[in-house]
Amino acid sequence: MIPATRTFYPCMTTITKRRSFNPGAVVILLIAVGLALSVSAWAEGRAEFASILTDAGKKSADNHATGASGAAAGAGFFAEDVWVRVGAASCLKCHKTGGDAEDSDFLLRDPQRSLGAAQAEDMRHNRDEFIQMARLMEGDQPRMLMKVTGKLKHGGKEVLKPDSAGYRVLAEFVRRVHGPESLADASEGGENGRPFFVGIAMEDDQRLLRRVTLSLAGRLPTEADVAGVTSQGLKAMPSLLDAAMKEDAFYHRLREGFEDIFLTSGIDETDAVTASALTYEHFHKTRLWYQKHDLGKFPDKKAEDQARRELTEKHHKGMLHEPMRLIEHIVRNDRPFTEIVTADYIVVTPLTARAYGVYEEVKPQFKNPEDPFEYIPVQLKALVGSTKEGTQDSVTGFYPHAGLLSHFMYLRRYPTTETNRNRLRARVYFKHFLGVDVLDLAARVTDAAAVSAKYTNPTMQAAECVVCHKTLDPVAGLFQDYWRFDQIYGRRKEGWFTDMFAAGFEGEDLPAAERWRALQWLGERTAKDPRFAVAMVEHVHYLLTGRKVLLPPKDFEDPNYTAKRRAYREQRQQIEAMAVRFSQTGFNLKSVVKDWVMSAFYRADGLATAAENPARRDELDDVGVVHLLSPEQLERKVAAIFGKPWGKLEKQLAILYGGIDSREVTERATDPSGAMGAIQRILANDVARRETALDFSREATKRRLFRDIEPDVIPGSSAESDAKIRQAIVHLHQQVLGRTDTPDAAEVTRSFQLLASIVSEAAGRKGLSNEDRSTSAAVPDPHYTIRAWCGVLTYLLRQQEFLYE
């Protein structure tokens, strides 16, 4: 990829990022015909090959003896070493259909483009291609090894250093092909060793239930939920999940999670949302309807202005959330989730329908036209502009909706420029809907000036650039009708750029007759691409855990590479299995949620595992759900436990606590900072002071926290009193932390000692008030026990079990 500089090919300035150059990531052109070696070179090569085979064989024997590399020593050598370290890392970028070397005899298939049996067949095909290439000799030296080190003509030049891990793996593969091992031994088999999850503690069923209901429904488990899991165990979980996923709180969480991914609400707040998305040329009569809308009579101008501001705010908010409400509509109605790229409609509110100019037409479809946040699906008419370039071609007469791809808010969130040429849109398309980071397709060149001087059009001529642009530019071309920088829709007067690869998708050109519905054409192919199902499964993983899925380790020299690779492979196998089931259920996203919750990756007790298995730390680093709650999740947890949120983790304070605004801050903080620690202390103090006295002021039967304890029960006064206090602490631990402690547990003892020490210290002081004034009405507290219980609750609210999931 060409470096993003403003002095050299500025088309990539908004979509590239700085990364180090890796020669092995450019291409590996293994062509059947090589250059003839001279006689002297032949003799030298013969000796070199003998040395290669000897060294590789010795390393393989060492691996067998030490167990340092199960893949190299076992039968899964091709799949886990040759393909991962050489094929996928270097060869596949060009040696595939649509790649720069698609005309060569060495043609590979991308296993990530298929699932199940088809994926296994792709791997067998790749193995056979490698075996055939490994058999070819140039004199007495293997042509494959000469190609990759640049000793024979190779478009990719040198892609593997002779002392690199990738080269050693390839040399071992060549040795096996030419050696006594069978071809099956060189390519097939599984991993020797214990199953991945052996010895890993799983969350007990009740803690899992609490985690799920808090995460998905923003509430604690009901008595019926607890009873179901108590009697049936995990078998009860699918039906409980089905019920939870019908609650409004689940859809709030769903929108929140996908907003973290798509960031569609991140339009610059300095622009009016409607004016930014609905442009003057196409919606000039309706886009600003709220400015002149008849609001009725008001006592004065100030009241009328306030009402208009509130109307405008509701309208803007409704339009800003349309993309995520589309996702909610699809999931709530159990529609195929492929509709996020194929839906031939958008969803509108009674207010945004006015901006689109369709309110009177769709008004009867609303259950309550006065509800500013009721959304219904609607098809818009084709856009009509003041110019030919601004008027939309449409065979059907309707706007060619393609889910999020064609939504005005999505297009405005990811705009184009004269030099960018829709490449940003193409890049986020691959990331959002196929889980592919296009920037990883090729490494960056080190001498951009040399490439610029050598080629008149580097993106179509230089191999370093073509490997990326041959994938990126065709998709950019599919957005060509959405070219107007200030108005979103509009075709370029000069026609689309001819110095870019033609519009299409993965080697398939866009037919001229489909030009008017190019994004629908793209959406249809996206929905059929196996990578779509995988990407959606990955998105649900993020929604549930707050973490991205594991990426394949790339540092082959890392001593912990094998452990990291095993963790990645185990998670990848589960993801792909879920993706298969996802497609088999008609792309019902709820099935993916259930699959993840029931998976060992989600149920594993990550903390206990890491502590008990330090030798497996790299393998288990991403096992289990241990992540800092987001500001929104923390507020919901406080509300679920105490009946009322803290109410302060909003706007700037939410950002300070690791939140996002989808615009300038687009990634949540996963590790607590000093400021976040201070906020945690403030929250613990505020909530404990508010809730302790408030709970004691209620009737005992209506209390959430202190049902079976009264302020006159003093620690140390009697064995009976201490037993009551310990039992009250057990209930408090369960309510706040989800723990199931026994009265004599160490954690209960710690909380008891804290309570006792506070009461004892207060008894030795003079002049302390006999009332707790934490609430608006003072609560009698002559023994200082209410305030001591407040101290215990403060302590609990600062525990990891409360602040983390």
Side-chain angles (χ1 to χ4, degrees), residues 131-148:
I131 289 174
Q132 293 302 319
M133 186 60 66
R135 285 174 174 163
L136 297 177
M137 301 293 290
E138 193 70 29
D140 278 0
Q141 196 168 19
R143 181 180 294 175
M144 174 177 274
L145 298 181
M146 296 183 71
K147 285 276 189 180
V148 299

Side-chain angles (χ1 to χ4, degrees), residues 705-767:
L705 307 174
F706 307 104
R707 292 179 181 176
D708 300 314
I709 198 75
E710 295 297 334
D712 60 356
V713 180
I714 303 172
S717 60
S718 68
E720 182 182 2
S721 295
D722 288 354
K724 283 186 177 181
I725 291 173
R726 283 182 175 272
Q727 196 60 50
I729 291 173
V730 167
H731 174 73
L732 196 61
H733 281 195
Q734 196 283 325
Q735 183 77 3
V736 178
L737 304 180
R739 297 178 61 92
T740 54
D741 294 323
T742 59
D744 59 350
E747 285 298 327
V748 173
T749 299
R750 186 173 289 111
S751 295
F752 180 89
Q753 290 172 345
L754 174 60
L755 178 76
S757 65
I758 295 174
V759 172
S760 175
E761 183 180 350
R765 292 192 179 187
K766 297 181 180 180

Side-chain angles (χ1 to χ4, degrees), residues 121-168:
E121 176 57 33
D122 287 346
M123 285 300 293
R124 281 192 290 270
H125 168 86
N126 294 339
R127 171 204 62 190
D128 292 343
E129 290 289 301
F130 265 80
I131 289 174
Q132 293 302 319
M133 186 60 66
R135 285 174 174 163
L136 297 177
M137 301 293 290
E138 193 70 29
D140 278 0
Q141 196 168 19
R143 181 180 294 175
M144 174 177 274
L145 298 181
M146 296 183 71
K147 285 276 189 180
V148 299
T149 54
K151 294 180 180 179
L152 286 179
K153 183 179 180 182
H154 182 219
K157 302 177 183 178
E158 181 190 55
V159 296
L160 293 177
K161 297 287 186 182
D163 60 347
S164 67
Y167 181 81
R168 291 195 297 270

Side-chain angles (χ1 to χ4, degrees), residues 146-278:
M146 296 183 71
K147 285 276 189 180
V148 299
T149 54
K151 294 180 180 179
L152 286 179
K153 183 179 180 182
H154 182 219
K157 302 177 183 178
E158 181 190 55
V159 296
L160 293 177
K161 297 287 186 182
D163 60 347
S164 67
Y167 181 81
R168 291 195 297 270
V169 165
L170 196 60
E172 165 64 6
F173 178 77
V174 172
R175 187 192 72 81
R176 291 190 181 196
V177 171
H178 289 269
E181 290 90 352
S182 68
L183 295 183
D185 287 339
S187 56
E188 302 269 13
E191 178 179 343
N192 296 322
R194 62 180 179 178
F196 186 81
F197 287 100
V198 166
I200 295 180
M202 297 291 166
E203 283 272 33
D204 69 67
D205 297 344
Q206 294 295 344
R207 286 179 67 87
L208 177 65
L209 174 64
R210 177 185 169 98
R211 174 194 292 174
V212 168
T213 55
L214 278 171
S215 175
L216 297 182
R219 60 170 174 80
L220 296 177
T222 64
E223 292 183 1
D225 293 337
V226 173
V229 170
T230 300
S231 61
Q232 301 179 52
L234 286 178
K235 293 181 180 179
M237 196 63 69
S239 60
L240 295 178
L241 284 169
D242 285 335
M245 288 189 288
K246 293 179 181 178
E247 300 178 31
D248 288 341
F250 167 72
Y251 294 103
H252 180 89
R253 180 73 187 97
L254 183 77
R255 297 194 307 268
E256 183 180 274
F258 276 98
E259 174 60 30
D260 281 9
I261 295 166
F262 293 114
L263 305 171
T264 51
S265 67
I267 292 180
D268 191 344
E269 64 182 1
T270 61
D271 295 331
V273 173
T274 304
S276 178
L278 303 187

Side-chain angles (χ1 to χ4, degrees), residues 589-637:
L589 195 75
K590 293 176 183 177
S591 70
V592 182
V593 176
K594 290 191 285 188
D595 266 0
W596 269 121
V597 169
M598 300 300 291
S599 73
F601 267 97
Y602 187 81
R603 294 188 295 113
D605 187 342
L607 286 175
T609 299
E612 296 172 7
N613 299 272
R616 296 181 67 197
R617 189 174 302 275
D618 282 315
E619 278 188 355
L620 305 176
D621 184 57
D622 205 60
V623 169
V625 181
V626 182
H627 73 100
L628 185 70
L629 292 173
S630 69
E632 298 88 348
Q633 288 177 304
L634 190 55
E635 286 281 22
R636 286 195 292 269
K637 190 169 187 177

Side-chain angles (χ1 to χ4, degrees), residues 456-474:
T456 57
N457 183 9
T459 61
M460 296 184 71
Q461 297 172 332
E464 304 95 317
C465 304
V466 169
V467 68
C468 177
H469 283 272
K470 200 166 186 178
T471 296
L472 188 74
D473 286 4

Side-chain angles (χ1 to χ4, degrees), residues 187-482:
S187 56
E188 302 269 13
E191 178 179 343
N192 296 322
R194 62 180 179 178
F196 186 81
F197 287 100
V198 166
I200 295 180
M202 297 291 166
E203 283 272 33
D204 69 67
D205 297 344
Q206 294 295 344
R207 286 179 67 87
L208 177 65
L209 174 64
R210 177 185 169 98
R211 174 194 292 174
V212 168
T213 55
L214 278 171
S215 175
L216 297 182
R219 60 170 174 80
L220 296 177
T222 64
E223 292 183 1
D225 293 337
V226 173
V229 170
T230 300
S231 61
Q232 301 179 52
L234 286 178
K235 293 181 180 179
M237 196 63 69
S239 60
L240 295 178
L241 284 169
D242 285 335
M245 288 189 288
K246 293 179 181 178
E247 300 178 31
D248 288 341
F250 167 72
Y251 294 103
H252 180 89
R253 180 73 187 97
L254 183 77
R255 297 194 307 268
E256 183 180 274
F258 276 98
E259 174 60 30
D260 281 9
I261 295 166
F262 293 114
L263 305 171
T264 51
S265 67
I267 292 180
D268 191 344
E269 64 182 1
T270 61
D271 295 331
V273 173
T274 304
S276 178
L278 303 187
T279 55
Y280 179 83
E281 180 168 358
H282 303 111
F283 299 98
H284 64 279
K285 294 181 180 180
T286 57
R287 60 200 283 267
L288 302 179
W289 66 273
Y290 47 85
Q291 293 182 354
K292 297 181 179 180
H293 184 66
D294 184 6
L295 300 177
K297 295 183 179 180
F298 289 88
D300 52 47
K301 186 67 165 55
K302 182 178 180 180
E304 181 179 359
D305 290 344
Q306 177 62 27
R308 194 170 300 282
R309 281 194 297 269
E310 292 176 358
L311 176 67
T312 301
E313 182 179 346
K314 291 175 181 177
H315 167 68
H316 286 335
K317 184 177 180 180
M319 181 158 286
L320 198 64
H321 293 168
E322 278 183 1
M324 295 303 102
R325 290 286 186 166
L326 173 63
I327 289 178
E328 176 186 341
H329 173 80
I330 293 169
V331 178
R332 187 185 285 271
N333 294 281
D334 295 319
R335 302 182 68 84
F337 203 64
T338 51
E339 287 194 1
I340 66 169
V341 291
T342 64
D344 60 351
Y345 59 88
I346 60 172
V347 292
V348 301
T349 72
L351 303 185
T352 64
R354 295 177 184 273
Y356 291 115
V358 298
Y359 176 70
E360 295 301 329
E361 179 183 342
V362 303
K363 181 179 178 180
Q365 299 179 35
F366 289 106
K367 295 179 181 178
N368 179 12
E370 301 302 317
D371 182 354
F373 301 117
E374 178 188 348
Y375 289 82
I376 62 170
V378 170
Q379 277 188 317
L380 300 180
K381 296 291 196 303
L383 302 177
V384 178
S386 59
T387 63
K388 180 180 179 181
E389 292 77 15
T391 298
Q392 190 171 43
D393 292 332
S394 175
V395 173
T396 62
F398 288 98
Y399 182 87
H401 296 286
L404 293 182
L405 293 175
S406 62
H407 199 287
F408 299 110
M409 299 301 296
Y410 189 81
L411 293 167
R412 175 57 73 186
R413 177 62 181 85
Y414 301 104
T416 189
T417 65
E418 182 70 34
T419 55
N420 178 264
R421 302 181 180 185
N422 282 330
R423 290 181 172 111
L424 171 61
R425 288 171 174 167
R427 180 195 167 196
V428 296
Y429 157 80
F430 276 104
K431 180 181 179 182
H432 288 161
F433 304 110
L434 297 181
V436 175
D437 187 348
V438 179
L439 297 183
D440 281 342
L441 292 180
R444 300 278 298 282
V445 298
T446 55
D447 193 348
V451 174
S452 180
K454 184 176 181 180
Y455 300 101
T456 57
N457 183 9
T459 61
M460 296 184 71
Q461 297 172 332
E464 304 95 317
C465 304
V466 169
V467 68
C468 177
H469 283 272
K470 200 166 186 178
T471 296
L472 188 74
D473 286 4
V475 173
L478 296 176
F479 287 89
Q480 62 184 279
D481 285 353
Y482 301 87

